[in-house]
Amino acid sequence: MHGPASSGWLLVALCAATGAYCLLRMRSRVEEQRRTAGGEALMGFGMAVMAVPAAAFTPPAWAWPACAAVFGLAALHALWLARTGACHLHHLIGAGAMVYMAVTMAASPGGGDGHGHAQGGAGIPLLTGALLLYFVAYVLVTGVRLVPVAAVTGDGRVAGWGDRPELARVCRLSMALAMVAMLPTM
């Protein structure tokens, strides 16, 4: 990511913490939580890697095509799951945005040093703008929907940390906020 190092490190911390929580959600008793948590953990850790300030680490030339391939597979998986429910479309758009950012970083001036140099307009402005609008809208809608939900399961037990739907929304919200911060730097 191109920009101030302090905001880059804050994004790294936010995305890594989100990825770690999503890994914890994989232990949930709720099948839907387990099903989506793995993809969200991948997204969180991938975004953390992309947000590392360029001054701290320059990835090898093969890193961005590898990221594009991994998130391309994640997009295909989300596309396959989207046939069962529209909720997977957000994962599809997120994985597609990660592919777009990785390809843009690989093709950026500087020989794929990664961290998307803004000079010369490395990305496609219309696509970047469309993704930015989508994630801003997602952040606003999800933020409004974060009204506290009772943390009790259907059978009367108190839900564990991995089973709390509002915390899953917070994970998605934090990753969407990170996208809003990262896309304009392209």
Side-chain angles (χ1 to χ4, degrees):
M1 190 179 100
H2 185 69
S6 59
S7 62
W9 286 118
L10 288 172
L11 277 174
V12 169
L14 173 70
C15 294
T18 300
Y21 176 72
C22 289
L23 283 179
L24 289 175
R25 284 182 38 227
M26 289 178 73
R27 296 176 35 193
S28 171
R29 288 179 272 168
V30 179
E31 183 180 344
E32 183 62 26
Q33 291 283 348
R34 286 191 311 269
R35 192 176 321 154
T36 61
E40 291 172 357
L42 174 68
M43 185 73 71
F45 289 128
M47 290 176 71
V49 168
M50 284 187 173
V52 172
F57 175 70
T58 301
W62 56 265
W64 298 120
C67 281
V70 167
F71 285 105
L73 290 173
L76 288 175
H77 185 255
L79 181 61
W80 177 257
L81 292 176
R83 65 186 172 75
T84 63
C87 63
H88 297 287
L89 291 176
H90 174 71
H91 294 126
L92 176 62
I93 293 169
M98 294 294 284
V99 170
Y100 168 66
M101 288 193 296
V103 167
T104 301
M105 289 178 182
S108 70
D113 68 357
H115 300 79
H117 296 286
Q119 74 266 14
I124 302 168
L126 186 59
L127 182 55
T128 302
L131 288 169
L132 188 59
L133 285 175
Y134 170 78
F135 284 108
V136 166
Y138 184 85
V139 165
L140 293 174
V141 169
T142 304
V144 169
R145 293 171 64 201
L146 273 179
V147 176
V149 177
V152 178
T153 63
D155 57 2
R157 295 183 312 208
V158 175
W161 284 103
D163 297 330
R164 307 267 312 259
E166 71 274 16
L167 292 178
R169 281 190 213 114
V170 168
C171 284
R172 292 182 201 107
L173 177 66
S174 65
M175 287 187 283
L177 279 169
M179 282 287 194
V180 168
M182 292 169 74
L183 281 166
T185 66
M186 300 203 55

